[in-house]
Amino acid sequence: MKASVIVFPGSNCDRDVAVSLEQAMGQKPNMVWHADSELPPSDLIVIPGGFSYGDYLRCGAIAGNAHIIRPVKEAAEKGAMVLGICNGFQVLTETGLLPGALMRNADLKFICKDAPLSVETSDTPFTKGYKQGQTISVPVAHHDGNYRADEDTLDRLEGEGRVAFRYADNPNGSARDIAGILSENKRVLGMMPHPERCADPLLGGTDGKALFTAIVEELS
Amino acid sequence: MKARVTIMLKQGVLDPQGKAIEHALTALDFDGVNEARQGKIIELELTETDQAKATAQVTDMCEKLLANTVIERYDIELMD
């Protein structure tokens, strides 16, 4: 299995997720700079959390048009798995790989805390290590995590089993408590909470670990 | 030619920053503000001199980068 983590100026969870991946896969992922226009062969591409380009214009807007995004989209079209965490989720909506948009939190505050999440489906390559309906605790740390999409899109996401995680106690005003969504083929996942921040006992929690283990099982 | 692009959240999309401004104005005893909405303005200096071509070019910029049309709308104003 080959994994790549895309690094933008302002990414700050790239090394954390690289550690989680290395623990799950037994080898280091490629760290790929945003200005590269070629992506090494990758079964998994991670767009990490952070503040790419200082969140200028809109969160994820500039990163969504970086050189590396074209090969990322091409790889996704060929069936590579893509995981966008926090700012990575914002980038994925800006690229059109996932529908909707992430707006300023409803109470305007930056929220940094552990968030209980409900696993909405275990029938995906990302979430098969969880039980449907299981509650897990995963940290959130964002200012713009308020998920928005039109009603038709929200209905379609729910109808097609593409809501991966919901907040048990909605911290940011997200439509229908959505914390993470999947692409149509369920191989692209965007989520605001940070599974890489709870994938090792040293970090105070391990609820995120099953997500990385599931990806490695799927791709090995 | 100069273009001024105004980007606002679409009507119907809750604008929490606008709401905060509205509440702050009320707290300062400014009566009669039914709603405040916050947006952004981007000014562009263009080499293009043809109005129609400039409009088409800036529209393309808005669609690809400047606005997120899932939640935002944009207006383009051209100035000589």
Side-chain angles (χ1 to χ4, degrees):
Chain A
M1 169 188 169
K2 295 189 179 76
S4 294
V5 176
I6 310 296
V7 184
F8 298 99
S11 294
N12 64 7
C13 301
D14 46 330
R15 283 171 290 177
D16 305 46
V17 80
V19 170
S20 299
L21 287 170
E22 188 177 351
Q23 286 180 347
M25 316 195 278
Q27 57 179 336
K28 288 183 195 296
N30 298 306
M31 304 304 279
V32 181
W33 185 235
H34 70 109
D36 292 353
S37 42
E38 276 187 37
L39 181 73
S42 308
D43 309 303
L44 170 73
I45 301 152
V46 178
I47 318 269
F51 300 87
S52 57
Y53 301 92
D55 280 349
Y56 291 172
L57 187 62
R58 288 182 309 280
C59 301
I62 312 276
N65 288 286
H67 286 296
I68 197 65
I69 292 300
R70 186 189 292 264
V72 168
K73 284 176 97 166
E74 286 167 3
E77 278 158 21
K78 288 181 193 148
M81 287 175 75
V82 182
L83 170 63
I85 301 168
C86 198
N87 187 222
F89 184 12
Q90 295 161 344
V91 173
L92 290 178
T93 61
E94 286 284 342
T95 62
L97 279 170
L98 291 173
L102 291 138
M103 290 182 47
R104 183 54 46 105
N105 294 340
D107 67 0
L108 299 174
K109 294 193 177 88
F110 188 97
I111 302 166
C112 185
K113 63 177 184 183
D114 289 340
L117 304 180
S118 158
V119 179
E120 293 295 299
T121 170
S122 56
D123 187 21
T124 82
F126 294 97
T127 59
K128 62 186 180 184
Y130 300 107
K131 291 196 181 78
Q132 189 173 337
Q134 183 182 349
T135 301
I136 57 174
S137 178
V138 183
V140 293
H142 60 247
H143 211 162
D144 297 77
N146 181 349
Y147 184 73
R148 290 288 134 203
D150 59 51
E151 291 296 309
D152 288 348
T153 304
L154 293 168
D155 288 344
R156 203 171 68 244
L157 288 171
E158 289 184 333
E160 293 173 357
R162 290 167 55 191
V163 177
F165 302 105
R166 271 189 231 267
Y167 299 109
D169 183 13
N170 191 339
N172 56 26
S174 273
R176 305 195 192 175
D177 303 328
I178 285 173
I181 56 164
L182 296 144
S183 60
E184 218 169 324
N185 68 1
K186 300 189 181 170
R187 293 182 77 80
V188 180
L189 169 66
M191 60 190 293
M192 288 312 295
H194 287 270
E196 80 282 12
R197 293 192 187 179
C198 57
D200 187 297
L202 272 178
L203 300 172
T206 55
D207 282 1
K209 193 174 174 161
L211 187 128
F212 297 103
T213 313
I215 295 170
V216 173
E217 271 177 24
E218 172 74 17
L219 296 174
S220 297
Chain B
M1 185 180 299
K2 195 181 230 182
R4 178 179 288 162
V5 181
T6 306
I7 298 158
M8 299 293 294
L9 287 171
K10 287 178 177 171
Q11 283 300 332
V13 175
L14 178 69
D15 174 7
Q17 294 179 104
K19 275 273 168 233
I21 293 167
E22 187 187 315
H23 293 151
L25 288 171
T26 307
L28 286 169
D29 294 330
F30 287 106
D31 295 329
V33 178
N34 285 331
E35 191 184 24
R37 292 182 78 77
Q38 179 178 318
K40 56 192 145 198
I41 289 175
I42 299 170
E43 288 185 341
L44 305 164
E45 286 285 350
L46 304 173
T47 51
E48 183 59 64
T49 51
D50 181 85
Q51 290 241 346
K53 282 184 187 162
T55 304
Q57 189 187 27
V58 178
T59 302
D60 200 25
M61 291 177 193
C62 287
E63 292 289 329
K64 285 191 178 142
L65 178 68
L66 301 182
N68 180 338
T69 54
V70 175
I71 48 171
E72 294 171 329
R73 64 177 174 81
Y74 57 86
D75 291 311
I76 299 165
E77 192 188 343
L78 294 179
M79 291 162 285
D80 290 325

